[in-house]
Amino acid sequence: MSLADRAIAGEVRAAARLMRIADDRTGDYIQEMVKIWAHTGHARIIGITGAPGSGKSTLTDALITHYRSLGKSVGVAAVDPSSPFSGGAILGDRIRMATHANDEGVFIRSVATRGHLGGLSVSAMDIAAIFDAMGKDIIIIETVGVGQDEVDISSLADTCIVVVMPGAGDDIQAIKAGILEVADIFVVNKADRDGADRTARDLKTMLELGAKRVWMPPVVKTIALKKSGIEELAEGIALHSNYSDNEDKHFARLYHAALGLLKDRLVNSCFTPDRFRELLKTQGDPYSVTIKWLKNHGLEA
Amino acid sequence: MGKVRILIAKPGLDGHDRGAKVVARSLRDAGFEVIYTGLRQTPEAIVNTAIQEDVDAIGISILSGAHNTVFPAITGLLKEKGASDIVVFGGGVIPDEDIPFLLESGVAIIFTPGTSTEDVIKFVNEKITAKIH
């Protein structure tokens, strides 16, 4: 049996290995992923994003506990940044989810960005697809700690949660492009800290200033560490599913995975960095070198 | 080309994870992907995590004196789950006379206090990088 068949049958080791070859783009990943993608479209995919230290992993942990209490199986892809210098990474999101390590209904995978911007890895949707094909009911994708403009997840998750902390900037920060449009649900985490009510109020005010939307993102206060506010958050997630166009989101995931593969294959098929650098050094301007390079490889510039 | 993935874990009750963090950091700087579990992990949790993360190796830091129980428990569980291809190495305060037993129970190498991080990286490169590339 192929890795994909074994993963679809629920075998953890095969699924984990398949995630590896999809991430590395080695082995028979193409044939395997063709099978996997044919089995997707059933899980509910929740994205969690927010600034570093806002409590994304702890909130993920609390949501896992909640969904497990309802008997749902959960897959988690937790993304952390790769070092731009060494290419290595320390992936530490699991530390906050340690209580689920021996629960067979929970599969947590740490993923490094490997240079991809937008808060995810190129492989993130492939990994979610493998969870989906395994039959996981709920998939949580936790992005790297993001700032103001790294928000792939908003178009890819069925429901996107943005986590903020009390006192994290004034109301102008909130209306800058990015954060307000990204969230289907806002979470003000660490709500036992000073300024939580103020932050929640500011967010609500800013949301109301914007154009009327069919779905008005709720602002939920949580203390993830104490599992407080999680029921309300889960209610918000359930309610949002009536408003979210899940087919549209599923298509966005196909597109993300396809584009990632296309870029990789194109670059690998025609690009040799050393030779390109050499040309650029001797011929100077980036435009003519690139256009000539493309033409030499039979690609219309 | 694949990236080497290594789990760094701290089993048992001692709360000193500075050594584990130093090793994790230096492995990251050498270009590896390091998954760090945090403190007080059971052998079962460590093995489950290693399998979910599809790591090439597990590095165990242990200072509590429970090494003669913890290491065989981990290598035993790996074998039970058909995952004994995952290399196990260890570090910490481990008396020389205990090392032969640990190696016999399937641990690839034990790094004792005073080991430089370069030695750990060299081990990973020789034992794992060479294998997967």
Side-chain angles (χ1 to χ4, degrees):
Chain A
M1 271 213 296
S2 70
L3 284 177
D5 292 330
R6 287 162 58 200
I8 291 162
E11 197 191 308
V12 173
R13 187 117 217 260
R17 176 55 50 89
L18 185 47
M19 289 174 186
R20 175 78 171 271
I21 67 169
D23 205 13
D24 289 348
R25 300 219 189 276
T26 52
D28 280 338
Y29 73 98
I30 293 180
Q31 286 94 315
E32 302 277 11
M33 289 309 297
V34 167
K35 283 191 191 170
I36 289 292
W37 277 101
H39 282 79
T40 57
H42 311 291
R44 178 138 181 80
I45 301 188
I46 300 167
I48 299 189
T49 189
S54 55
K56 294 181 294 298
S57 302
T58 312
L59 198 70
T60 302
D61 174 66
L63 280 173
I64 299 171
T65 305
H66 174 82
Y67 287 117
R68 290 302 292 147
S69 76
L70 302 177
K72 307 227 181 257
S73 59
V74 183
V76 177
V79 189
D80 265 331
S82 298
S83 158
F85 303 105
S86 71
I90 292 184
L91 311 171
D93 290 326
R94 292 187 80 100
I95 297 172
R96 320 273 174 230
M97 308 171 201
T99 51
H100 306 289
N102 291 332
D103 180 351
E104 283 183 7
V106 181
F107 187 154
I108 300 165
R109 179 65 166 220
S110 311
V111 191
T113 54
R114 299 189 179 180
H116 184 70
L117 303 175
L120 296 172
S121 67
V122 176
S123 63
M125 293 307 116
D126 286 323
I127 289 166
I130 295 167
F131 282 140
D132 194 348
M134 288 180 85
K136 298 291 177 204
D137 301 310
I138 302 281
I139 298 168
I140 302 175
I141 301 173
E142 182 192 329
T143 74
V144 302
V146 297
Q148 295 170 321
D149 194 24
E150 303 150 314
V151 284
D152 277 359
I153 192 68
S154 67
S155 60
L156 298 170
D158 297 321
T159 298
C160 180
I161 299 168
V162 172
V163 188
V164 296
M165 283 184 286
D170 59 16
D171 47 6
I172 293 300
Q173 296 288 357
I175 50 174
K176 288 185 186 170
I179 183 165
L180 276 186
E181 292 86 343
V182 165
D184 297 312
I185 299 174
F186 278 101
V187 165
V188 178
N189 191 35
K190 310 190 187 188
D192 47 351
R193 291 197 181 174
D194 282 350
D197 290 331
R198 166 84 196 271
T199 301
R201 209 167 46 234
D202 283 352
L203 275 170
K204 276 184 196 151
T205 311
M206 286 302 140
L207 286 165
E208 281 155 13
L209 282 180
K212 277 268 171 288
R213 291 190 257 176
V214 187
W215 169 260
M216 210 43 167
V219 179
V220 182
K221 284 187 287 179
T222 63
I223 309 165
L225 209 50
K226 296 180 181 159
K227 310 254 188 300
S228 158
I230 304 305
E231 296 273 332
E232 199 188 340
L233 172 58
E235 270 168 36
I237 295 168
L239 197 62
H240 178 252
S241 68
N242 301 325
Y243 291 83
S244 164
D245 185 343
N246 293 348
E247 257 175 56
D248 197 43
K249 294 294 178 69
H250 185 65
F251 180 76
R253 293 190 282 272
L254 301 183
Y255 187 76
H256 185 272
L259 200 61
L261 179 61
L262 184 71
K263 282 182 185 165
D264 260 24
R265 301 293 284 203
L266 274 178
V267 169
N268 287 338
S269 70
C270 76
F271 190 65
T272 35
D274 290 345
R275 176 82 189 115
F276 191 81
R277 276 210 189 88
E278 203 177 293
L279 283 177
L280 196 55
K281 245 179 212 158
T282 50
Q283 305 192 8
D285 106 81
Y287 281 69
S288 15
V289 171
T290 307
I291 298 302
K292 203 165 146 197
W293 183 279
L294 286 172
K295 280 191 177 144
N296 285 345
H297 285 86
L299 294 165
E300 272 309 315
Chain B
M1 199 164 59
K3 273 228 179 278
V4 173
R5 287 167 67 86
I6 301 171
L7 181 69
I8 295 293
K10 269 294 298 175
L13 295 176
D14 78 89
H16 303 278
D17 63 349
R18 188 175 156 75
K21 283 177 177 160
V22 168
V23 170
R25 171 73 198 271
S26 57
L27 290 171
R28 184 202 77 166
D29 291 344
F32 307 126
E33 287 182 359
V34 181
I35 294 105
Y36 183 56
T37 63
L39 296 167
R40 300 186 189 91
Q41 299 295 298
T42 62
E44 288 79 9
I46 291 168
V47 169
N48 287 341
T49 300
I51 289 174
Q52 289 181 357
E53 298 287 358
D54 193 40
V55 294
D56 302 295
I58 306 175
I60 301 288
S61 161
I62 191 159
L63 306 163
S64 65
H67 46 270
N68 285 340
T69 323
V70 166
F71 280 106
I74 289 171
T75 51
L77 280 166
L78 284 172
K79 204 168 175 189
E80 201 178 286
K81 303 201 174 207
S84 38
D85 54 308
I86 298 175
V87 175
V88 177
F89 63 96
V93 187
I94 293 166
D96 285 346
E97 61 265 31
D98 288 348
I99 292 178
F101 166 73
L102 297 176
L103 298 183
E104 216 169 278
S105 63
V107 179
I109 192 170
I110 296 287
F111 297 105
T112 47
T115 305
S116 80
T117 53
E118 280 87 46
D119 291 339
V120 182
I121 292 163
K122 189 163 166 255
F123 165 78
V124 172
N125 275 328
E126 281 169 5
K127 186 87 184 177
I128 296 150
T129 316
K131 190 181 75 185
I132 73 164
H133 288 165

